[in-house]
Amino acid sequence: MTRRLHYWLSGLFLSAFAAGWASPPVAPAGFENIAGRLEVRCYPDTYSDRLRHLTDGVAENGAVFLFGPSKDQRGRLRFSFHQPRTITGVHFYQPQADFSTSRFRISADTEGDGRFRETLAEADASGPTGWSGVNVEPHVAWGIEFYALDGVAPSGRCYPRLTEIKLFGESLDDDEQWPLPPTGYVNIAKESEIASLPSTDARQVHYLI
């Protein structure tokens, strides 16, 4: 099979799995959502506290992650692994049609050098709001990049805005993960009054929550 034919057939496979997800996507058997256990960076940059909104487990009516302003409106997220692992899919939830991506690319760092040269998927979003994403054939990587190729946002602002992103793959024993509240409870830190002893600039409290 020629390389060109291989990529063409892979595109057909991925397109089938990029169809709409009306309900939250579920990881394939033997894999799980590991997004909250990994280091994530965004381009353009934004406040660091916003990154945790991507993996807090709340999609509908969840806190919104937004990129910083930029002339290049296409947002990019990079997940880095401390050792290679198998990846099987990436899915994300868009809450706002006026800050949404219509086409995206998923690339992999397969050498551990921080360069995302191998394209795993390039697909259309299932819609301007709700769940979109792709499942891919199991692929070993050191990192994964989500790149919004096309979309909509006001001038000088970036797309997409997201409330959740799921990265399906292999969990490892020494992974770390943001703690999640028990069933029926939520994190109320943002709704609380916080004071420190000794006191500090009130703006510093922002970094706690």
Side-chain angles (χ1 to χ4, degrees), residues 9-158:
L9 291 173
S10 297
L12 291 179
F13 172 82
L14 293 167
S15 295
F17 281 94
W21 293 80
S23 57
V26 178
F31 298 94
E32 58 186 276
N33 176 25
I34 59 173
R37 305 181 180 187
L38 309 173
E39 178 186 357
V40 58
R41 295 182 179 180
C42 64
Y43 306 89
D45 203 2
T46 188
Y47 293 112
S48 59
D49 68 305
R50 290 177 178 168
L51 288 169
R52 70 171 184 269
H53 299 328
L54 290 169
T55 58
D56 62 7
V58 183
E60 296 183 30
N61 303 316
V64 177
F65 165 83
L66 57 152
F67 293 94
S70 175
K71 291 182 179 180
D72 184 352
Q73 295 184 284
R74 299 170 296 179
R76 188 188 304 249
L77 294 169
R78 286 181 172 176
F79 292 89
S80 299
F81 315 151
H82 55 82
Q83 56 184 302
R85 69 182 68 213
T86 302
I87 298 301
T88 62
V90 178
H91 301 267
F92 55 94
Y93 191 95
Q94 300 190 111
Q96 297 177 241
D98 54 344
F99 281 88
S100 63
T101 185
S102 56
R103 188 163 182 81
F104 61 94
R105 181 170 65 219
I106 307 299
S107 303
D109 169 11
T110 58
E111 302 295 331
D113 58 4
R115 303 176 67 182
F116 298 82
R117 290 185 288 255
E118 184 165 345
T119 297
L120 302 185
E122 189 169 314
D124 294 331
S126 58
T129 60
W131 285 105
S132 292
V134 290
N135 284 340
V136 298
E137 295 179 347
H139 203 96
V140 176
W142 284 84
I144 291 293
E145 178 184 79
F146 164 86
Y147 186 26
L149 299 176
D150 198 8
V152 295
S155 177
R157 308 297 293 276
C158 287

Side-chain angles (χ1 to χ4, degrees), residues 150-172:
D150 198 8
V152 295
S155 177
R157 308 297 293 276
C158 287
Y159 56 80
R161 289 187 174 180
L162 304 172
T163 55
E164 189 75 6
I165 188 165
K166 293 179 180 287
L167 180 59
F168 292 154
E170 175 187 12
S171 64
L172 302 176

